[in-house]
Amino acid sequence: MTRRTILITGASDGIGAAAARRIRGAGENVVLVGRSESKTAAMAAELDADYFVADYADLSQVRALADKIRAEYPRIDVLGNNAGGVFSKLHETADGHEITLQVNYLAPFLLTTMLLDVLLDSRATIVNTSSSSQKLLRRVSITDFETTARRRTSGAYAVAKLANILFTRELHRRYHADGLSAVVVHPGFVNTNIGHSSGSRFLTTMQRTPVVRMIKTADHGADQLVWLATSTPGVDWTAGEYYAKGKLAKANRAADDPVLARELWVRTLAKVGYA
């Protein structure tokens, strides 16, 4: 059988790197995307894989990334939107968006929509990453996605991860009949370097305490990404749904609002300047 092309973002470290190792070891053609040139190049050399570099805090780099991928890969079987980040302080990016929303939602949305024709032609699987933190949000409305800068960092992160579920639902509604299979996953609380890279004192301190023994390793955290990327939609899992701990899970009730999902899609297209 022809090897599939599986593109994984955030693949220079943590869950993305662990998933890339396992998927490459299974014989698939893995393409890596990372923020750090040195770390991503090192991982690509280890796996004998192709790689691209882009900083999601700069949407012009995401647009350039999409153009490069399109030029080199006419077929993409799986897009794993794994990249994201937690930030100790909220600030506005050069694009004019709150950093947490941009890195965790706007950038993956932009990359996906710019690659959409390739993904549709490939009848691809898209695996988006969420978090159980979104279940703590109350009375969500469309304005919450416009005002993350007014929240605490944890609240901004939860809103961004809810946006990824709504994005998945709308991808499914619009394109599943055309062969696209979108799914969204909560990988669990994973012991990666996200605390150090974010500057979060809470995450960094917790990773130095005995609590760390109850946290998943990066390899364990990659289990669901590997499963969803290498199995068959409609047989092994259901497209358009939210998964946690390897099974269907209950998300924030706002995630089931089709009107909210459609409005968020339209507003996001305008926000990232791509339609």
Side-chain angles (χ1 to χ4, degrees):
M1 293 179 64
T2 303
R3 292 192 307 169
R4 296 182 305 159
T5 295
I6 299 178
L7 180 71
I8 302 176
T9 69
S12 64
D13 206 345
I15 291 173
R21 284 191 182 100
R22 290 165 59 181
I23 294 170
R24 184 73 178 95
E28 303 287 13
N29 179 36
V30 176
V31 180
L32 314 178
V33 176
R35 181 171 61 89
S36 164
E37 171 74 37
S38 59
K39 290 171 65 176
T40 311
M43 181 59 59
E46 175 189 329
L47 302 181
D48 188 24
D50 197 4
Y51 76 96
F52 299 91
V53 175
D55 185 347
Y56 275 19
D58 180 354
L59 292 183
S60 69
Q61 293 190 35
V62 180
R63 294 185 185 96
L65 169 65
D67 288 340
K68 291 174 184 176
I69 293 170
R70 289 170 58 88
E72 297 188 31
Y73 288 92
R75 181 177 183 86
I76 300 171
D77 296 282
V78 179
L79 170 59
N81 280 318
N82 168 72
V86 179
F87 301 89
S88 59
K89 293 182 180 180
L90 302 185
H91 64 272
E92 189 175 283
T93 68
D95 298 292
H97 309 301
E98 186 273 309
I99 183 70
T100 311
L101 188 73
Q102 177 164 322
V103 169
N104 290 281
Y105 168 61
L106 297 179
F109 180 99
L110 177 60
L111 178 64
T112 304
T113 49
M114 288 192 69
L115 294 176
L116 198 53
D117 57 342
V118 177
L119 295 166
L120 285 167
D121 287 345
S122 306
R123 300 181 69 85
T125 289
I126 299 172
V127 184
N128 292 325
T129 303
S130 185
S131 164
S132 62
S133 63
Q134 44 79 27
K135 294 197 290 185
L136 301 176
L137 297 169
R138 296 289 181 268
R139 298 179 182 176
V140 177
S141 70
I142 193 65
T143 58
D144 288 295
F145 302 97
E146 307 286 341
T147 57
T148 55
R150 301 176 190 173
R151 291 180 172 268
R152 294 182 178 181
T153 55
S154 58
Y157 184 76
V159 170
K161 292 305 184 180
L162 174 59
N164 284 340
I165 303 179
L166 289 162
F167 174 37
T168 303
R169 303 280 205 228
E170 189 64 7
L171 271 172
H172 178 76
R173 185 188 72 82
R174 288 172 179 255
Y175 300 110
H176 184 63
D178 297 319
L180 198 71
S181 296
V183 66
V184 60
V185 64
H186 165 49
F189 193 14
V190 182
N191 185 22
T192 68
N193 74 342
I194 192 170
H196 300 287
S197 62
S198 69
S200 168
R201 291 183 180 180
F202 171 73
L203 289 175
T204 302
T205 300
M206 188 166 59
Q207 288 174 326
R208 293 173 179 169
T209 69
V211 173
V212 76
R213 290 195 291 268
M214 296 183 289
I215 303 173
K216 294 180 180 179
T217 63
D219 194 58
H220 189 189
D223 284 348
Q224 292 181 105
L225 175 54
V226 173
W227 167 54
L228 293 166
T230 58
S231 56
T232 305
V235 176
D236 300 301
W237 49 269
T238 304
E241 297 295 342
Y242 168 68
Y243 281 82
K245 299 181 180 180
K247 58 185 179 181
L248 283 170
K250 186 177 178 65
N252 189 297
R253 63 189 302 177
D256 297 320
D257 184 344
V259 175
L260 181 61
R262 284 194 291 270
E263 187 169 2
L264 179 62
W265 177 284
V266 171
R267 291 196 181 199
T268 305
L269 284 175
K271 192 181 288 288
V272 300
Y274 180 78

